[in-house]
Structures are given as structure tokens and as C-alpha cells.
Amino acid sequence: MRLSAQTDYAVVMLSAAARHCGVSGRLNATLLADETGLPLPTVQKLVSRLSAAGLIESARGTGGGFRLARPPATITLADIVEAIEGPIALTACVDTGKHDCCIEQSCRVKPHWNSVNASVRSALAGVTLASLSSQPVPA
């Protein structure tokens, strides 16, 4: 399983935003692009998607910019992944809609995928943006 580059970039960007939380007012895309090394168009695109998902609040114009919609301790890795990737589902057979699986009707594993997906989501939900934005503790 591999997350898309967009999801990785969203985590990097929100981690940087979390480090600014409480220090400054609103952030702007240029500042985060400079701080993270992400291309400005990518940051702008992610601001739009993360805003639509309710993870950041943005305002246009003078004094505009964006900020986290909630404290970093209440935003999880699962929230970020779902904002970019959609619902966490490791196989297509648990999604609603048409499936192209030739064994779907007789599959004995399909009933178990929802619990697997819930376990993965739970693991991601256990990692907060606050922990991702802090200095790692040396091993």
C-alpha cells in the first residue's frame, strides 16, 4: 500500500502549518511552499482540497491566508489521508458501486475487508498532526 504524492505533500504542508499554530495569524501558500520545498501550485491546490475537507480555513484578499481549522492534536493522519484519497478502503469490493471482480459473489474474504480497513483507519487515526509536527524523540 502506498499513499499518493499529493497525500504525502498534504501531510508535510499541514505539519508545517501546525508548527506555526498559535505563533502567527494566517499563513499563506508562498510561505509554506518556501518552508517545505513544495511547488507553489501544489500548495495552492492542496489548500483548496484541505479547505473543502474542513481541515483548514482560508480567506482571500488583504489579511487573507489560511490556518488550521482545529488544533493539531485533533487532526489525525486518517483525516488527512481521507481528505486527499477518499475513504480508506484497501480493496474495491468494499466500495459502493460496480466492481470488476469475477469472484465477488463467492468470495470468502470480502466480509473481512471492512474490519481490515477499520484497523488501518484506526492506526492512522492514532497519529495526530501535533505528533507529526514535533521533533522526533531519538531512539
Side-chain angles (χ1 to χ4, degrees):
M1 182 175 96
R2 183 174 298 233
L3 299 174
S4 71
Q6 292 294 305
T7 301
D8 183 25
Y9 297 159
V11 172
V12 168
M13 189 181 101
L14 288 178
S15 295
R19 287 190 294 276
H20 289 275
C21 193
V23 177
S24 57
R26 293 189 182 271
L27 301 168
N28 64 53
T30 303
L31 175 95
L32 279 187
D34 290 344
E35 185 173 320
T36 61
L38 296 172
L40 180 58
T42 300
V43 172
Q44 291 168 327
K45 178 180 177 181
L46 289 171
V47 164
S48 176
R49 292 182 75 183
L50 295 167
S51 180
L55 296 180
I56 61 174
E57 298 171 340
S58 62
R60 295 184 181 265
T62 305
F66 60 90
R67 64 179 177 207
L68 296 177
R70 304 188 313 251
T74 66
I75 297 174
T76 68
L77 192 50
D79 296 329
I80 302 167
V81 168
E82 290 179 331
I84 305 301
E85 304 279 346
I88 295 168
L90 299 180
T91 61
C93 65
V94 296
D95 288 338
T96 57
K98 185 177 185 227
H99 306 124
D100 293 332
C101 180
C102 63
I103 64 166
E104 183 173 8
Q105 298 304 318
S106 61
C107 182
R108 292 180 178 225
V109 177
K110 179 181 176 182
H112 302 282
W113 277 114
N114 283 324
S115 65
V116 172
N117 292 334
S119 295
V120 170
R121 188 184 192 295
S122 178
L124 294 174
V127 179
T128 67
L129 191 54
S131 67
L132 291 172
S133 62
S134 66
Q135 289 290 341
V137 176

